[in-house]
Amino acid sequence: MFPYAGSVWIEIGCVGAQQEENSMGVMFKDSSGGRHSMSKSSRSAAVRKLQCGEVMEVPHMLDANASVSKVIHVMTENNWDHLFLVDEYLLPVGRVHAVDLLKMVDLKRVNRDMAWAEAVPALQCVSTPPLSVKENTPLLKAVVLLLTHDLNQLAVVDEEGALIGMVGVGTAARHLPRFIL
């Protein structure tokens, strides 16, 4: 089983605070039931401290030795638009996106025959190694990388470089609005 960091409550301001959103901005309810809103400077400080390891999702991964056919099957079965190819040490060696697979299938198709996909290793779909960030990388920095390189996901790796999670535009969309509103 692959490691996974589930959702983490980020405590900002006071111990035991739970987030509550309203039209006026972000409100927090402390453990005593009192409410207070975060100032602009405290929201700014809090968003800069938010790290990828706190909000990462379970990575979509497959063994780098898998065939193109296996990649297509796994992506279709799980309704994924991408996956990371990893070696035996869980080091990410590539990232395959569904669009890249469609292009490859269209180029190599011969009379609708897909037999070639069993023999072709998935690594042939990879043109460059995947970009990755460490667990302690600020989420804002990861978002800048996503936007700069026009990506949807980044690999999150531990200190040894093993894939332990992923962050993407969806992750940012779920976690950053509480600091901007």
Side-chain angles (χ1 to χ4, degrees), residues 5 8 10 45-57 133-142 156 159 166-167 171 175-176 179:
V8 177
I10 301 165
V47 75
R48 291 184 200 303
K49 290 180 184 176
L50 188 60
Q51 296 179 348
C52 291
E54 298 174 72
V55 297
M56 67 185 176
E57 301 172 32
V133 293
K134 301 274 188 198
E135 291 176 272
N136 59 356
T137 302
L139 183 59
L140 285 177
K141 190 176 272 190
V156 179
E159 293 303 318
M166 68 178 183
V167 292
T171 308
H175 294 281
L176 293 180
F179 300 105

Side-chain angles (χ1 to χ4, degrees), residues 57 81 139 142-143 145-147 150-154 166-177:
E57 301 172 32
D81 66 346
L139 183 59
V143 170
L145 279 172
L146 287 166
L147 294 172
D150 193 26
L151 295 171
N152 294 329
Q153 306 86 13
L154 287 172
M166 68 178 183
V167 292
V169 292
T171 308
R174 279 189 297 281
H175 294 281
L176 293 180

Side-chain angles (χ1 to χ4, degrees), residues 36-52:
H36 61 281
S37 94
M38 292 179 69
S39 68
K40 187 176 180 179
S41 62
S42 62
R43 280 195 312 248
S44 176
V47 75
R48 291 184 200 303
K49 290 180 184 176
L50 188 60
Q51 296 179 348
C52 291

Side-chain angles (χ1 to χ4, degrees), residues 72-87:
I72 292 170
H73 175 73
V74 169
M75 289 175 72
T76 305
E77 187 176 80
N78 293 296
N79 198 24
W80 293 343
D81 66 346
H82 78 283
L83 58 76
F84 293 99
L85 298 174
V86 295
D87 66 9

